[in-house]
Amino acid sequence: AGMSLAVRQVGGDYLDFISMTDGMTGLCVADVSGKGITAALLMAVVQATIRGQSLVDSSMAERLEVSNRLIHHSTPADKFVTMFYAALDADIHRLRYSNAGHNPPFLIPKKGEARLLESGGPVLGVLPYFKFEESTVNLEVGDLLVIYTDGFSEAINPALEEFGEDRLLEVARGVGDQSAQQILETLSEEVRIFCGAEPQFDDMTIMALRRTS
């Protein structure tokens, strides 16, 4: 499940579930630099680029490498995109991913310590060429993956304190057996309570993935 809240009428965050030609499901969360119309236009370019690359028979890293070149050639020098891009094989409960300078998602196992999904490379659009890395993780029953943009972790309260990644992880650890949709509602409600009436300045996007059986 996923949700995205724009701080203005249009936003620069990107959230997508993609049906891939190999039967896998693509998961993408990205954050475009800037706000408003300019960011939204760049986000549209990013969406078209990623959806096009999702039709290509190549690795996640290779898809990001091509996407990086395309975005670099079609956007101003001062614009960039952070992105977490993954392919889920629901038959064998395996996730292949590459992280382009994005906030590392939390993989929270049913038992044991949480880990950050960091393998990848820099933000997209700054360097014309870069060789990205990718990694694979297996999802066990009860495992939870939380992918988010910094609008969530950097949400501020009236005292100008940030919600923070540690607090986000703590709340995610305590969701019990909630469904992915319920987890999103729990996380967003905790952030809303923390922020109170304080205006926010960044788009807020989050995705949750849980293996239930």
Side-chain angles (χ1 to χ4, degrees):
M3 61 176 292
S4 186
L5 302 173
V7 72
R8 298 182 183 175
Q9 288 185 328
V10 293
D13 280 4
Y14 172 42
L15 166 75
D16 212 352
F17 299 94
I18 307 167
S19 296
M20 296 180 166
T21 53
D22 54 10
M24 295 189 185
T25 300
L27 311 174
C28 188
V29 173
D31 188 355
V32 172
S33 61
K35 302 288 183 295
I37 294 294
T38 301
L41 291 173
L42 177 52
M43 184 273 288
V45 172
V46 172
Q47 181 185 38
T49 300
I50 289 299
R51 282 188 162 257
Q53 286 303 304
S54 295
L55 301 175
V56 178
D57 184 15
S58 60
S59 69
M60 306 305 294
E62 290 169 337
R63 292 171 185 175
L64 277 190
E65 289 166 19
V66 174
S67 297
N68 176 60
R69 291 199 296 272
L70 293 172
I71 292 170
H72 180 268
H73 291 315
S74 61
T75 56
D78 61 338
K79 297 299 180 182
F80 61 88
V81 183
T82 71
M83 179 181 294
F84 181 82
Y85 181 43
L88 172 66
D89 187 332
D91 291 332
I92 59 175
H93 311 291
R94 182 172 295 164
L95 190 80
R96 292 188 293 120
Y97 77 90
S98 190
N99 187 335
H102 196 76
N103 304 78
F106 305 128
L107 178 59
I108 306 172
K110 186 73 172 178
K111 296 180 180 179
E113 294 297 318
R115 59 183 289 192
L116 301 178
L117 304 190
E118 301 177 292
S119 295
V123 299
L124 305 178
V126 175
L127 301 174
Y129 299 99
F130 193 88
K131 187 173 180 61
F132 285 78
E133 299 177 348
E134 71 174 70
S135 291
T136 300
V137 293
N138 294 317
L139 302 175
E140 305 298 333
V141 174
D143 285 0
L144 169 63
L145 176 65
V146 177
I147 313 166
Y148 62 97
T149 61
D150 57 12
F152 256 86
S153 57
E154 295 177 4
I156 56 174
N157 65 10
L160 302 184
E161 300 169 325
E162 292 187 353
F163 190 76
E165 295 177 356
D166 290 342
R167 187 178 280 109
L168 185 62
L169 175 58
E170 180 182 357
V171 175
R173 279 176 169 155
V175 297
D177 294 324
Q178 291 181 0
S179 68
Q181 182 61 44
Q182 290 171 328
I183 290 166
L184 295 187
E185 293 168 2
T186 296
L187 294 173
S188 59
E189 178 66 9
E190 288 292 331
V191 172
R192 187 193 66 78
I193 293 171
F194 176 84
C195 295
E198 185 68 22
Q200 300 303 304
F201 301 96
D202 202 359
D203 303 327
M204 303 172 68
T205 298
I206 195 162
M207 180 186 292
L209 172 71
R210 161 158 273 169
R211 179 180 170 186
T212 57
S213 63

